[in-house]
């Protein structure tokens, strides 16, 4: 079973998170792709980004926070003026 956060990027039922993903900054998209599409662990992400493992964990966490925030905004209709 994929992790719950990974399903956000794969499930057809989650159109909002996928649409929000497209609006994320490129750096967030990259780290989420590495974690949930390529299914790399934090150590492998750190190596790929030439960063520490702790920095990789923080980047994944911040990217997920941003994705959740954008998704919630879309759910509430706050993305349309």
């Amino acid at each position: 079973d994929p992790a719950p956060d990974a399903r956000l990027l794969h499930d057809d039922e989650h159109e909002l998170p996928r649409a929000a993903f497209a609006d994320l900054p490129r750096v967030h998209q990259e780290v989420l792709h590495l974690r949930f599409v390529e299914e790399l662990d934090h150590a492998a992400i750190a190596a790929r980004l030439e960063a520490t493992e702790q920095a990789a964990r923080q980047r994944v966490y911040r990217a997920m926070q941003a994705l959740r925030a954008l998704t919630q905004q879309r759910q509430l209709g706050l993305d349309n003026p």
Side-chain angles (χ1 to χ4, degrees), residues 15-40:
E15 186 62 34
L16 286 172
R18 280 198 313 247
F21 179 84
D23 289 338
L24 286 174
R26 182 77 182 129
V27 293
H28 287 330
Q29 289 179 8
E30 177 183 14
V31 75
L32 291 177
H33 178 85
L34 292 172
R35 181 70 180 109
F36 298 111
V37 177
E38 294 188 29
E39 298 180 350
L40 299 180

Side-chain angles (χ1 to χ4, degrees), residues 40-52:
L40 299 180
D41 62 15
H42 292 103
I45 294 170
R48 184 81 65 93
L49 299 176
E50 298 181 355
T52 66

Side-chain angles (χ1 to χ4, degrees), residues 8-80:
L8 288 176
L9 300 178
H10 295 291
D11 265 348
D12 288 337
E13 296 176 1
H14 293 94
E15 186 62 34
L16 286 172
R18 280 198 313 247
F21 179 84
D23 289 338
L24 286 174
R26 182 77 182 129
V27 293
H28 287 330
Q29 289 179 8
E30 177 183 14
V31 75
L32 291 177
H33 178 85
L34 292 172
R35 181 70 180 109
F36 298 111
V37 177
E38 294 188 29
E39 298 180 350
L40 299 180
D41 62 15
H42 292 103
I45 294 170
R48 184 81 65 93
L49 299 176
E50 298 181 355
T52 66
E53 189 171 339
Q54 181 61 30
R57 287 181 188 278
Q58 288 175 344
R59 290 179 189 182
V60 170
Y61 177 78
R62 288 182 185 134
M64 282 305 305
Q65 281 184 315
L67 179 61
R68 285 185 186 110
L70 282 173
T71 300
Q72 288 175 345
Q73 287 175 352
R74 287 172 178 265
Q75 286 174 331
L76 296 174
L78 299 176
D79 59 330
N80 296 323

